[in-house]
Every structure is written in C-alpha cells, then in structure tokens.
C-alpha cells in the first residue's frame, strides 16, 4: 500500500550508510576486527557503529603518537614529570597563602614540605614508598641513558616508563615489606639492639636482598619489554 511504501522509504533514509573501513595492515586493525566479530551477530546496529567509532579513534590516536617526533614526545614526558613535581613542592602551603607575601611562601617551603613528607610517611607508608621509588627510578634511568651517550632529550621514553613502572609497582612494595620484616625480625632476635646488629643488617642487605633485588629488576624489565625470560637471565 502507499502507506507501507512510505514507511519503507522512511526507514531506509533513516539508516546511516555503512562506512568503508580503511585497509590497515597492523595489529590495531586486526584487534579491531576481532572485537567487532564478538558483537557482529549479537549487538544492534547502533552499538556496532559506536564500537567502530571508538576503535577507530584509538587507532588514530596511536598512529598520531607514532608519527610525533621523538624530541616532542620526550620533552612532553619531562615537562609532565618535572611540572608535576614542581607543582607539588611549590603549592604545599596553597591552602594557607591568604595574606602571605612571596617571601613568606619561599621561606616556609623547606620546612613545610619536610613536615608534609613525614606526615604522609606516617599515614601512607606503602604509598609513599611506591611514589618515591618510582620517581627515583624515573630520574635514575634518565641519568643512566645520558651517561651511556645520549643527549638529555634523546632518551628512550619507553625504557624510562618501564623503569618507572618497575620502581613503583615492584620495588616500592618489595623494599617497604623487606625493611619492615627485617626490623621486626631483628627486634625479636636482638631486643637490646647490640652494635653488631647493624652489621648483620648490612650483611643481609648486601647478600640475600641484593641478589634478589637485582634479578627481580632484570626479570621485570625484560617482561615489560616482551623479552623471553631465558634471554633476560642470560644477560643478568
């Protein structure tokens, strides 16, 4: 009937045409196709369209990042890290600045930052250990790459990020737990804390813990880089 024909034309005009997908020979394109396959026979058309849009946006962002010059990426990484650190240090008294002069702010920075650090260590010991260790590993790897012959802004950003993750997520909790356990152990074995107890702690640090620490670092860095464990152990 004319009414049915009009309805068919309305539905056909309201359905958006299917967009042609670019032929990209990459892992990102393959992952997108796998994800779409899950929803192809189950999800409605609108859900598939939204999913395609999200995956296209992610893939486009990855390609733009890969096309960004290395120097720009490295400067962005350093600006983010140094800027965040400076912001935390310089604004430690931001809630009390009302009525303060610039001189008052500068004079109180050292003591108030130290007091804030001590308070955070008492309230969040594990979190502070993770934050400080991650920050230390970030700058340590940056300095190490510079000593290896690269310029300060020509570093391997992926390696620095791996080192930072290992410091934050692996060694922060590991070191915190180790020294807490060591303190409890020595308090139980040597309640009077004789002079040689400190020598025993140093011996434990430089033997058992040192070996564990180093091999864990190599294995964690190798795993994040996608290297086989046997190859990593051989390098160690």
């Amino acid at each position: 009937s004319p009414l049915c024909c009009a309805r068919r034309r309305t539905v056909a005009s309201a359905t958006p045409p299917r967009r042609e997908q670019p032929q990209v020979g990459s892992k990102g394109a393959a992952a997108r196709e796998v994800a779409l396959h899950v929803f192809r026979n189950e999800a409605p058309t609108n859900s598939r369209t939204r999913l395609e849009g999200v995956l296209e946006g992610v893939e486009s962002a990855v390609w733009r990042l890969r096309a960004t010059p290395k120097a720009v990426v490295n400067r962005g990484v350093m600006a983010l890290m140094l800027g965040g650190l400076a912001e935390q240090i310089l604004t430690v008294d931001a809630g009390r600045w009302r009525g303060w002069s610039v001189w008052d702010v500068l004079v109180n920075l050292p003591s108030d930052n130290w007091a804030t650090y001590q308070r955070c260590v008492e309230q969040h010991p594990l979190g502070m250990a993770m934050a400080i260790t991650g920050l230390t590993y970030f700058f340590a790897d940056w300095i190490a790459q510079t000593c290896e012959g690269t310029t300060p802004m020509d570093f391997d950003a992926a390696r620095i990020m791996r080192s930072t993750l290992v410091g934050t997520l692996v060694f922060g909790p590991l070191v915190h737990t180790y020294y807490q356990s060591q303190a409890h152990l020595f308090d139980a074995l040597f309640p009077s804390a004789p002079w040689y107890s400190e020598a025993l702690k140093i011996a434990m640090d430089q033997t058992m813990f040192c070996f564990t620490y180093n091999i864990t670092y190599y294995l964690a860095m190798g795993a994040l880089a996608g290297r086989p464990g046997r190859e990593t152990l051989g390098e160690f």
Side-chain angles (χ1 to χ4, degrees):
S1 64
L3 180 59
C4 291
C5 293
R7 286 179 178 175
R8 291 194 193 98
R9 286 196 297 271
T10 303
V11 172
S13 61
T15 304
R18 180 177 178 82
R19 291 176 295 176
E20 293 295 330
Q21 299 297 324
Q23 300 298 322
V24 181
S26 64
K27 294 182 179 179
R32 182 185 62 201
E33 292 302 323
V34 170
L36 288 175
H37 178 72
V38 176
F39 295 93
R40 188 163 289 147
N41 298 323
E42 301 176 2
T45 303
N46 291 340
S47 298
R48 292 201 303 269
T49 303
R50 287 196 296 269
L51 178 61
E52 291 173 6
V54 170
L55 293 175
E56 286 178 359
V58 172
E59 184 177 331
S60 176
V62 170
W63 280 107
R64 284 199 300 269
L65 181 60
R66 290 179 177 176
T68 304
K70 181 180 180 180
V72 175
V73 174
N74 289 357
R75 283 175 170 80
V77 170
M78 293 306 300
L80 184 64
M81 182 62 70
L82 294 175
L85 183 61
E87 191 271 339
Q88 290 294 320
I89 294 174
L90 295 176
T91 61
V92 65
D93 292 320
R96 300 188 297 162
W97 277 353
R98 185 178 180 85
W100 284 21
S101 65
V102 175
W103 177 251
D104 293 331
V105 174
L106 296 177
V107 166
N108 286 279
L109 280 180
S111 60
D112 289 348
N113 272 288
W114 179 250
T116 300
Y117 165 75
Q118 291 181 312
R119 183 171 63 253
C120 290
V121 168
E122 293 177 358
Q123 296 176 354
H124 312 286
L126 178 58
M128 284 300 296
M130 294 173 65
I132 292 175
T133 308
L135 189 65
T136 301
Y137 270 66
F138 177 90
F139 288 107
D141 197 83
W142 180 38
I143 294 171
Q145 292 192 43
T146 304
C147 293
E148 290 170 2
T150 63
T151 61
M153 287 296 115
D154 193 35
F155 55 84
D156 184 350
R159 174 179 145 178
I160 284 187
M161 291 298 103
R162 289 195 297 269
S163 186
T164 304
L165 284 175
V166 170
T168 303
L169 302 179
V170 179
F171 286 123
L174 176 64
V175 173
H176 173 76
T177 303
Y178 168 73
Y179 282 113
Q180 289 284 331
S181 302
Q182 186 191 67
H184 293 318
L185 175 64
F186 275 75
D187 287 343
L189 293 177
F190 308 103
S192 59
W195 64 269
Y196 54 84
S197 64
E198 298 302 323
L200 291 176
K201 288 182 180 180
I202 295 174
M204 182 183 293
D205 292 346
Q206 296 301 316
T207 53
M208 179 186 68
F209 185 63
C210 184
F211 176 80
T212 304
Y213 194 98
N214 280 299
I215 196 171
T216 302
Y217 176 78
Y218 272 85
L219 289 174
M221 289 289 287
L224 289 178
R227 298 167 56 191
R230 181 171 297 180
E231 178 184 343
T232 304
L233 287 175
E235 181 181 345
F236 174 74

